[in-house]
Amino acid sequence: MQLYNPAVESLSAAGRPITRSRFALLHAGGVGNDFAEDVRRGLSAPSKFLLPHYFYDPLGSALFDAICELPEYYVTRTETEILTSRAEEMANAFGTPIRLVELGSGSARKTRFLLDAITRRQPDLEYVPIDVDASMLQKSGEALLQEYESLRVTAICGDFREAVRAIPHRDRHRTVVLFLGSTIGNLDPDAAVAMLSDLRSSLAAGDALFLGADLRKSRDVLEPAYDDPLGVTAAFNLNLLGRINRELGGRFDVASFRHRAFYDQTLGRIEMHLVSRIAQRVSIDALQLDVEFSAGESIHTENSYKHDEASLKSLMDASGFTVERTWTDSRHWFADVLCSAR
Ligand code: SAH
Ligand code: AVI
């Protein structure tokens, strides 16, 4: 993967002046160009699908942040409970000096609990957030530099499945890779093993992965978390069609699709779909493509796998990591596991 740095941003947020040397935003090639081809492939397939990392344009990221505030979406609140109560232990387990990489960093709101504890031990920490949403990286980077006066941020905009192959090594620093929020659950098991194996290959023995994983629980808790009565998750899902309209000249009537989410207990995953309310043909100008939908036909947009201790252990074993330590919440709904590269 090629990284290029079109500009080392000089941040001008109000408050403490930030030197240019504390922030860089690097772009991993290819992200934008893939959208058109991935939409063509997904909507031309016999069972239609769209890939979940395309949820996160600026509107989609804002909707995800709103999801995190929902009473039904226990995921963020539960991981926050674990991180707030155990951050000191976690920072001790990471050791010093480290370099902190984060996959799918988003707003980095929960990361702050760890940053507080880590920067007390190592104020000039280098933090490397990796995310597909450049606007979020810019915004969260600016905010973090205001809050942590010696922190250095090297943000990478790109697909973490590619970026993990190019994590640069720093002498004498243990690399600790955060993958919070159960985003691993949005990859199918084979893709998760492939990505974590690639990550392992770019790390040195003894480097660490700190993974947040949502645990299996009752359907009565899971389904409302992905189909909330306010319709925020529905908006997050439908925004994929809005994004195709905005970026690819799509002619979707978004209101003619509905959100559907359900838990498949056998596969241990939530599935999200967009279901056409009517038979219709939708054109996408930039692709010169017409897509036919029958009434009730669905586009599969996301899986969200739920784990247990055994599935986490086998995921790590298959990817070249060893689970060293597990932290969980009072209800055992979520786990953060510290794994070392074998
Ligand atoms: N880590 C945060 C955000 C989770 S939302 C939390 O725990 O709350 C998932 C984040 O991962 C979003 O910011 C999204 O833009 C990013 N993301 C999803 N798939 C990605 C991919 N393939 N490559 C890079 N970033 C991705
Ligand atoms: C980012 N990811 C872990 C979320 C999840 O719970 O699978 C995405 C999401 N989809 C619907 N609500 C939230």
Side-chain angles (χ1 to χ4, degrees):
M1 185 192 63
Q2 286 279 309
L3 293 180
Y4 66 93
N5 186 355
V8 175
E9 307 285 341
S10 169
L11 302 177
S12 58
R16 184 182 300 131
I18 292 161
T19 60
R20 287 166 67 87
S21 59
R22 285 179 57 214
F23 185 76
L25 176 56
L26 309 173
H27 289 263
V31 183
N33 306 339
D34 297 340
F35 185 45
E37 276 325 300
D38 286 343
V39 168
R40 180 194 299 284
R41 192 163 55 92
L43 296 186
S44 307
S47 299
K48 296 182 174 59
F49 68 91
L50 290 169
L51 298 173
H53 62 278
Y54 292 118
F55 283 131
Y56 302 94
D57 67 349
L59 179 54
S61 292
L63 287 166
F64 178 75
D65 282 349
I67 287 174
C68 295
E69 301 293 331
L70 293 170
E72 294 80 11
Y73 193 72
Y74 61 86
V75 178
T76 307
R77 213 165 298 109
T78 308
E79 190 173 34
T80 299
E81 175 194 325
I82 302 171
L83 296 177
T84 49
S85 55
R86 313 300 284 276
E88 289 297 326
E89 273 172 47
M90 292 164 176
N92 278 337
F94 296 164
T96 311
I98 65 166
R99 189 174 45 124
L100 194 67
V101 175
E102 181 166 11
L103 310 181
S105 49
S107 66
R109 224 163 42 147
K110 280 174 295 180
T111 316
R112 286 166 167 77
F113 302 117
L114 293 171
L115 289 175
D116 288 346
I118 297 167
T119 54
R120 270 196 286 278
R121 294 158 173 78
Q122 187 186 334
D124 65 345
L125 177 75
E126 183 186 11
Y127 172 58
V128 184
I130 301 174
D131 204 286
V132 275
D133 183 356
S135 65
M136 189 54 108
L137 284 170
Q138 181 76 40
K139 214 161 51 176
S140 64
E142 290 183 15
L144 288 171
L145 292 180
Q146 292 293 329
E147 290 164 45
Y148 299 90
E149 60 182 18
S150 302
L151 186 73
R152 290 170 297 130
V153 177
T154 309
I156 300 177
C157 179
D159 189 322
F160 50 57
R161 289 165 296 184
E162 299 292 320
V164 292
R165 301 195 186 132
I167 293 175
H169 186 68
R170 291 278 184 278
D171 273 352
R172 293 191 318 103
H173 285 68
R174 183 188 201 195
T175 298
V176 177
V177 179
L178 304 180
F179 198 11
L180 303 181
S182 202
T183 302
I184 188 72
N186 299 132
L187 299 178
D188 288 334
D190 287 351
V193 170
M195 193 203 94
L196 295 180
S197 303
D198 284 346
L199 172 65
R200 168 64 194 90
S201 305
S202 75
L203 297 176
D207 284 343
L209 166 66
F210 184 82
L211 179 82
D214 196 18
L215 300 179
R216 292 183 177 212
K217 57 185 71 63
S218 153
R219 176 189 304 280
D220 298 344
V221 176
L222 284 167
E223 287 187 341
Y226 291 83
D227 193 4
D228 61 279
L230 269 183
V232 181
T233 310
F236 174 72
N237 198 7
L238 288 161
N239 178 53
L240 268 176
L241 304 182
R243 182 170 181 186
I244 295 172
N245 288 350
R246 291 190 293 276
E247 295 184 21
L248 300 176
R251 308 292 182 100
F252 280 101
D253 169 20
V254 172
S256 71
F257 285 79
R258 69 177 175 84
H259 167 70
R260 177 166 184 245
F262 60 88
Y263 184 52
D264 181 328
Q265 194 159 358
T266 312
L267 293 173
R269 72 185 194 193
I270 290 276
E271 286 188 19
M272 293 208 318
H273 295 257
L274 290 166
V275 182
S276 179
R277 295 179 190 274
I278 53 170
Q280 55 183 316
R281 171 182 296 161
V282 181
S283 35
I284 303 175
D285 293 349
L287 302 183
Q288 296 183 307
L289 181 72
D290 286 336
V291 187
E292 298 275 357
F293 292 91
S294 54
E297 185 176 355
S298 88
I299 311 173
H300 188 173
T301 53
E302 188 181 60
N303 292 321
S304 190
Y305 283 86
K306 306 304 167 188
H307 291 273
D308 55 27
E309 207 179 312
S311 68
L312 277 175
K313 184 175 179 312
S314 64
L315 176 62
M316 289 309 146
D317 284 348
S319 313
F321 290 94
T322 304
V323 178
E324 299 284 354
R325 206 158 160 189
T326 302
W327 290 269
T328 184
D329 57 289
S330 47
R331 292 180 293 199
H332 296 277
W333 278 8
F334 196 95
D336 281 301
V337 290
L338 178 62
C339 311
S340 62
R342 280 201 295 275

